[in-house]
Amino acid sequence: MRKYLLFILLYIPLILITQAQSLHLHGIVTGKDIDGKTMPLSHAKILAQPVLAGTFTDEEGKFHLMAPEGSERIVIRYKGFQSQTVELDGQEMISIQLEAIRQADSVTITAREKSSGIDPMSTPLIETLDKKELLRAACCNLGESFETNASVDVSFANAITGAKQIQLLGLTGAYTQLTFESMPGIRGLNTNIGLELIPGPWIESIQISKGAGSVVNGYESIAGQINIELIKPQDGPKLYINGFLNQGGRTELNVHTSQKLSDGVSTSLLLHGSRRRAEVDRNEDTFLDIPDKSQVNVLNRWYFSVNESVNAQVGVHAVYDYRQGGQVPNSNPLGDLEFEQVSQMVRAWTKVAWINPNDPVESLGLQIMGSRFQQSFSFLNFGFNDYFTLYNGDQTTFYVNLIYQRNLFNPNHQLRTGLSGVYDRVEEDLDNDLDDQIVDQAFSREERVPGGFVEYTYKLRENFRLIAATRVDYQALFEQWSILPRLHLLYRPNDWTSFRASLGKGQRTANILGENMGYFASNRTINIPTAETNRVYGLPQEIGWNTGFNFIRDFRIAKRPLQFVATYFYTWFEQMAIVDLDQSQLDIVFYALDGPAFSHNLQLNVEYEPVEDLSIRLAYKYQDSRVTYRDGLRQRPFVPLHRGFANIAYRTANDWNFDLTAQYVGRQRLPDVDENAPVSALTESPAYWNLLGQVSKSFGKRWEVYVGGENLLNFQQPNPIVAAADTDSPYFDASRVWGPIFGRNVYAGFRFTVK
């Protein structure tokens, strides 16, 4: 009851809605440079006079302003252009073009756009990583795209498969909604490998939203939302080639091409191929440090612009990924333990948008997406011609979302509303054979979730913004309605200070097998509750709340910019699927939460440019994530209580780029160890540092070469596999991974671009 009361109280600012007898102004500001080229002017200042009120233009040069009663004129200002005054005579639609300031002596103004940062005008806390940020590291796939970012943590799921997983706000990636261009992306059965099915060179930008995401994108966001924007046909390079190889035997080739076929039709083709085949066992435990793998990835998309008001796009994405690992061949006289995983995905989507030519804010959009993901996973022992674990999963998804947006009364009040539907068909088979204890279970379900949403945005000049939203969904499989309220507040007392607050609720179905496949790399017996009516795997849906606060302050030290950012988020759960690795080292036990489960996350960031083209980022993160297990409230395993981050980037005048990142990973609680288990199994991991860096050089506008290294301090987790010498032991476990396994890894590559 207190949670709902808090939410209601936060709606109080809605009383600010009433503004009588004001003039609703909207329009666009463009600028003509000294060469006669016209461009939209982003963040141009619009001031109403003599009654002061103001706003800024957006990225497209558009603005909306509620001019108070008594306003006679507006003044438009933009640095480097001549200011202009427009008298108000009742008109509401205004188009202004500013002329560049001409001087007798030429003046060159240069600015370096930040490769990552928080949008100062965004009400939710959204951090954007653009293409330049992604090029600062190897970034061969989405899972490697966060290495120079302090918000998202990436780690290996186990010591055999090589799959990576993310953490946000001290919670696993399953609680973060991952979308591709605002449509469902990595979810369900492909959570365990989905990050590695998106090549890094395909990514145009990444938006990281902490806390409950927008209701427009669905109901599954609890810890946050990560949206991936891929290269667009209408503005992608005509030709892009990227080649890569590293010390571990991994080779990759990416080829992109984008073509404008006519004024209204563009298309792009994205190709990716990668292969790794090398027997490397640096820690000499007879197991390959990295599995052999190969991947083929193809994406084709089309963009159609019917006229200024209607545009559409269509895309198809297909990927095949094969991995094979386990013991070094012929290293075990009793027969080698081999791991094999095959993943296949096909995804198709379309988007259609209509924009009112007389009011650019009013629009109608339709999103349709369908996908199928299949995966098989097995551990085989050739000596006994038997298997330990065999898993097959098949998920078909269909998604539709209809979105309508318009102003209410005036540009200070905006409404987004719509209808959505999600269909999931999931089929899973699991066989687990250990010491004559056989688990042979089949799971299948169909989820149909129709829903609708309303999102209201209120703006008070540029100082205050509020987004109040609710979505309602019917979970047909669970035969229940869900109501998910969400609220975001932004207050900017001046141009260099901002405060944010948020509160929201999320809900999701836990896919306990697909999301925890990393734990299958062990001899643990998998214990799943008996299936019950209106439940999946005998478990209820997960329901979580998230509230957060953010403070940003910009300073000038020695006339150079410094930014300080402090964020705090608290996440708590009403219902949760528990993965218990402590009850017994011989079992993985799944059951429903009975008690509190929560996560505190505090992050402090400082970014400073002491000299031109030199950027320094520092961050500290405290995350206390706890869950009530059957033996009481405990820290969630594999979540460091403390993390540190430092990044230094420097660019020279002749196009050399230097980038160095240091990551501090604090101690992590590890699952309990049975008294009869090998003594090498720790109960707490030690803290360690991870260092990575890259040097790149551009030659003209087309060629760029780069060389870098990961884990430059060559830190390796000792004994990542428990009982590695005895694969028949019930204590054999390759899932207790808390640090790097491979050690130092040097890489090199090139990029060739024709724009």
Side-chain angles (χ1 to χ4, degrees), residues 43-54:
H43 290 86
K45 199 166 189 176
I46 315 294
L47 292 174
Q49 294 179 347
V51 183
L52 292 180

Side-chain angles (χ1 to χ4, degrees), residues 171 175 539 542 570-583 589-599 624-637 669:
L171 298 168
Y175 299 104
L539 299 169
E542 296 188 299
Y570 175 61
T571 310
W572 70 97
F573 289 86
E574 294 181 5
Q575 297 176 179
M576 190 180 197
I578 302 300
V579 184
D580 194 339
L581 304 174
D582 298 291
Q583 188 165 313
V589 185
F590 297 95
Y591 51 84
L593 174 69
D594 184 13
F598 58 84
S599 177
D624 180 12
S625 185
R626 304 192 187 196
V627 176
T628 300
Y629 297 96
R630 286 177 175 168
D631 60 350
L633 184 66
R634 309 186 66 178
Q635 289 281 349
R636 185 186 294 270
R669 186 185 81 80

Side-chain angles (χ1 to χ4, degrees), residues 688-714:
Y688 67 91
W689 285 90
N690 181 29
L691 190 66
L692 54 127
Q694 178 180 278
V695 178
S696 65
K697 176 69 170 73
S698 297
F699 299 91
K701 296 182 178 180
R702 294 191 173 185
W703 284 97
E704 182 180 10
V705 295
Y706 58 94
V707 61
E710 300 169 315
N711 193 12
L712 294 175
L713 299 178
N714 200 33

Side-chain angles (χ1 to χ4, degrees), residues 139-208:
C139 192
C140 294
N141 56 58
L142 178 59
E144 298 170 335
S145 300
F146 305 102
E147 292 180 335
T148 59
N149 177 266
S151 297
V152 181
D153 304 323
V154 181
S155 62
F156 284 101
N158 57 66
I160 292 182
T161 68
K164 292 189 175 182
Q165 58 188 6
I166 65 169
Q167 291 180 1
L168 184 66
L169 304 187
L171 298 168
T172 62
Y175 299 104
T176 299
Q177 186 179 24
L178 286 113
T179 58
F180 293 144
E181 302 186 353
S182 301
M183 295 180 290
I186 300 172
R187 58 186 294 274
L189 302 190
N190 71 349
T191 302
N192 68 90
I193 196 176
L195 293 173
E196 301 186 43
L197 301 184
I198 305 299
W202 291 13
I203 301 173
E204 183 179 77
S205 65
I206 300 175
Q207 293 82 44
I208 303 170

